[in-house]
Amino acid sequence: EREKVVVGGFEMIWQKVAGLSGSVAVGLGAYGAHGFKPENKVYEKFYDTANKYHLLHSVLLCTAPLTKRPNLFGGLCSAGILLFS
């Protein structure tokens, strides 16, 4: 028999962090698409890549409460956002 996953408590904070992070990623993506005009076009690609990683890590954060170690998973995803975005 499979073990049931109980989701609740402090682990649910990661979904709130994911929502906030995702909305920031969308806002920064809009800025990158419409307001970010660097002199060197290489920076546009860097910005676009960083924004994609930010959004990907935000989506992963949504799944943190479903993992075996939600606080470790959420912390690593948050570190990924801070380091790579």
Side-chain angles (χ1 to χ4, degrees):
E1 185 175 326
R2 289 186 68 171
E3 185 178 323
K4 290 185 178 181
V5 177
V6 178
V7 178
F10 181 72
E11 292 82 13
M12 294 303 290
I13 191 75
W14 294 114
Q15 286 189 329
K16 293 176 183 175
V17 171
L20 180 63
S21 176
S23 62
V24 168
V26 169
L28 289 173
Y31 169 72
H34 302 289
F36 185 60
K37 305 293 183 213
E39 291 180 20
N40 189 343
K41 294 294 181 185
V42 173
Y43 293 120
E44 280 184 8
K45 183 161 175 52
F46 289 152
Y47 190 91
D48 185 49
T49 301
N51 187 254
K52 286 179 184 175
Y53 280 122
H54 185 159
L55 194 57
L56 176 66
H57 282 90
S58 297
V59 170
L60 285 174
L61 266 176
C62 287
T63 65
L66 303 175
T67 63
K68 197 172 199 176
R69 294 188 177 121
N71 292 327
L72 176 63
F73 186 83
L76 289 174
C77 284
S78 297
I81 291 170
L82 293 174
L83 292 173
F84 299 113
S85 294

